[in-house]
Amino acid sequence: MADLAGGPGRSAGRPDRSDVAGPVWTIVLAGGGGTRFGGPKQFFDLGGEPLLAHPVAAARAASDGIVVVVPAAAVDGWAPPPGVRLTTGGATRAESVRAGLAAVPVDAGIIVITDAAHPLATPALYRRVVDEIRAGADAAVPGLPLTEVVKEIRVAGGIQVAGEIEPTGGVGPSPRLVAGASLPRETHRLVQTPHAFRADLLRAAHAGAREAVEDSAMVAEAGGLVVVVPGEPANIHVTTPDELAMAQLLLTHVRSEGESDEFGTGRVHAVR
């Protein structure tokens, strides 16, 4: 992948990158089929509106423009608010991001990427990650401290391949798991969306049409500075019907408080 770090000056010290020009655009990823949920969760009801409507509303309060990426089958089934662009996603997350990038004007200076599965992120959180780009970061992500122990695991009698548990023969739908090492909580964060990026660096990271779990890792691997800001505890990731029910309960709190309480007060630079 191309080096995004800006040459030798990056290793010698953090350069002045606060001259980001151009509007802020947000890409809302809503192209999934909801396999774990049992249907396209982005169109399920949350507080009287489709779940998708919530991140769109929050992004509109902190962006100059929005692109929503939906499945091809749903492009005519959801009417976006005025001024919001609609495009269809690809077979993978990275392909959907690139579809969104293609719909973002070339003069955008900052691009925010979020997903419909984080419907309770507040406008303040969007502004927080954007402000980090204006302050000189290449990317910014919200993160929460780990409050539980996170263990490496393997399937008893199975093998672990490329980060996914792949059982060998004879393992049923509820395999027996064996715990391994514990991750140090002090040096890890639970990362949420939205993520903000310098538009030119995000486009460069995707120029090779590679696949990745998420975009900040691509920017970091290419030498970019990724900053972690305090996340919001109410900004849960909705992947199951139970989590949607939890989001419904939290929605009342978020609306009444304006934004959820934060864990921590400072920002943390991600290790490259």
Side-chain angles (χ1 to χ4, degrees):
M1 181 188 299
D3 180 14
L4 307 184
R10 175 66 83 184
S11 59
R14 185 176 177 183
D16 180 11
R17 310 201 70 165
S18 58
D19 59 342
V20 178
V24 177
W25 276 75
T26 294
I27 298 172
V28 181
L29 299 176
T35 302
R36 287 176 292 178
F37 192 89
K41 60 180 175 289
Q42 61 269 43
F43 301 111
F44 277 66
D45 180 83
L46 177 60
E49 299 176 288
L51 184 144
L52 169 59
H54 296 273
V56 170
R60 291 186 81 188
S63 309
D64 298 299
I66 297 176
V67 173
V68 179
V69 183
V70 298
V75 71
D76 296 323
W78 179 72
V84 174
R85 299 184 180 185
L86 206 60
T87 190
T88 58
T92 66
R93 183 188 186 280
E95 289 179 2
S96 291
V97 170
R98 288 191 284 272
L101 288 174
V104 171
V106 294
D107 67 340
I110 297 173
I111 296 177
V112 179
I113 295 181
T114 192
D115 57 72
H118 279 101
L120 301 184
T122 67
L125 188 57
Y126 284 80
R127 288 189 287 266
R128 195 175 304 143
V129 292
V130 167
D131 286 346
E132 286 295 339
I133 308 304
R134 298 199 189 283
D138 297 318
V141 302
L144 296 177
L146 298 178
T147 58
E148 304 282 3
V149 175
V150 178
K151 304 284 289 187
E152 294 179 350
I153 60 170
R154 63 180 176 84
V155 175
I159 57 174
Q160 189 165 344
V161 179
E164 297 293 334
I165 295 175
E166 181 177 301
T168 55
V171 178
S174 299
R176 187 179 185 188
L177 302 179
V178 177
S182 299
L183 296 180
R185 284 181 286 185
E186 297 78 12
T187 55
H188 291 77
R189 291 293 185 271
L190 181 67
V191 173
Q192 309 170 317
T193 65
H195 299 177
F197 303 87
R198 284 182 61 102
D200 55 344
L201 302 188
L202 180 62
R203 291 187 188 277
H206 275 278
R210 62 171 293 200
E211 293 299 321
V213 175
E214 54 90 23
D215 309 276
S216 69
M218 298 170 67
V219 171
E221 288 169 7
L225 177 67
V226 181
V227 171
V228 181
V229 305
E232 295 175 340
N235 182 24
I236 64 172
H237 190 188
V238 176
T239 57
T240 67
D242 285 343
E243 288 165 341
L244 180 61
M246 185 182 301
Q248 182 64 62
L249 295 174
L250 289 169
L251 180 62
T252 303
H253 165 73
V254 172
R255 284 177 170 172
S256 63
E257 296 295 325
E259 65 178 293
S260 58
D261 296 332
E262 297 174 0
F263 282 118
T265 57
R267 63 185 193 179
V268 180
H269 287 180
V271 177
R272 296 201 303 271

